[in-house]
Amino acid sequence: MADFHYYEPSKGHGLRHDPFNAIVGPRPIGWISSKDAKGHINLAPYSFFNAFCYVPPIIGFSSTGWKDSVSNIQETKEFTWNLVTKHVAEQMNMTSASVPHETDEFTISGLTKAPSRKVDVPRVGESLVSFECKLTQMIQLEGADGKKADAWVTFGEVVAVHIDKSLIRDGVYQTAEAYPILRAGRMGDYAQIRPDIMFEMIRPR
């Protein structure tokens, strides 16, 4: 029988680094572009991100703390999500810096603001895939004891999608050929999806 390390999160994990976000990983990155009511643009990555519904298509990200992305989306009800791949990894990392609210992360990272069609928030021009989203819900998380956590989940309906045509073959989007990177926990671990690590299993009927 395996020898398990057991801990209760409320009492500490007893390790050099909290394993939680390394165990639940690697995770897709929510590279979120938003704009406040005064027109200030923000671009930031969130490692607690995923898709949650087909119809309507809904994605969501969780922010630890009330950050600019959450505040902006609450004000304008719109945002974009941008796929992070290896070729923009360094720029994505630059946009994770804590900077004043008025700072434009597109500028400091050298990224291009690409116009959206259905929302008034720019996409990352260098991203191979982008979603334009409209806010559906914003929820403050809470523990089992009902105590509010310093974390907010923002959900948005995807109202428009932009895909680099090189990633579509025979009408099928080629996930691995985009070489997306994912957050793998610890201080700065990432993983990359590549064609050679993919495999297929057909669901039983």
Side-chain angles (χ1 to χ4, degrees):
M1 185 174 180
D3 184 16
F4 286 92
H5 174 76
Y6 169 84
Y7 72 95
E8 298 172 23
S10 63
K11 299 177 182 178
H13 49 75
L15 300 174
R16 188 163 60 87
H17 194 277
D18 189 342
F20 175 73
N21 64 354
I23 295 168
V24 186
R27 300 178 306 282
I29 300 167
W31 204 12
I32 306 298
S33 174
S34 61
K35 182 166 71 171
D36 70 13
K38 294 181 180 179
H40 297 117
I41 303 294
N42 181 267
L43 178 63
Y46 291 87
S47 66
F48 289 135
F49 165 84
N50 222 309
F52 295 94
C53 187
Y54 270 125
V55 183
I58 291 175
I59 62 172
F61 69 95
S62 179
S63 172
T64 301
W66 186 265
K67 296 180 179 174
D68 287 343
S69 299
V70 181
S71 177
N72 292 351
I73 296 168
Q74 184 190 56
E75 288 183 11
T76 63
K77 316 301 184 198
E78 299 178 334
F79 63 96
T80 72
W81 168 83
N82 305 274
L83 180 68
V84 181
T85 53
K86 190 69 184 300
H87 83 286
V88 290
E90 292 297 332
Q91 291 99 320
M92 177 278 297
N93 195 42
M94 292 175 67
T95 65
S96 69
S98 296
V99 295
H101 176 73
E102 295 78 14
T103 303
D104 186 336
E105 287 85 359
F106 278 91
T107 300
I108 65 175
S109 60
L111 293 164
T112 306
K113 293 187 183 83
S116 296
R117 297 191 184 186
K118 304 291 288 185
V119 302
D120 189 24
V121 180
R123 300 176 288 115
V124 174
E126 290 77 8
S127 285
L128 300 178
V129 182
S130 295
F131 294 161
E132 300 180 27
C133 305
K134 290 185 178 290
L135 176 67
T136 60
Q137 293 172 277
M138 189 173 285
I139 301 168
Q140 184 175 9
L141 296 177
E142 59 182 45
D145 60 0
K147 184 178 179 180
K148 297 291 186 181
D150 186 26
W152 284 262
V153 179
T154 298
F155 294 102
E157 179 179 349
V158 178
V159 296
V161 179
H162 303 256
I163 305 173
D164 187 304
K165 289 184 178 179
S166 68
L167 299 177
I168 301 173
R169 186 166 61 250
D170 297 326
V172 179
Y173 174 74
Q174 304 298 311
T175 301
E177 291 185 15
Y179 288 86
I181 63 171
L182 305 97
R183 191 70 171 90
R186 300 204 304 176
M187 296 302 293
D189 284 358
Y190 289 84
Q192 184 183 44
I193 300 298
R194 307 184 311 270
D196 63 290
I197 67 169
M198 299 290 285
F199 67 96
E200 184 179 47
M201 289 193 295
I202 305 301
R203 291 182 182 180
R205 295 188 177 185

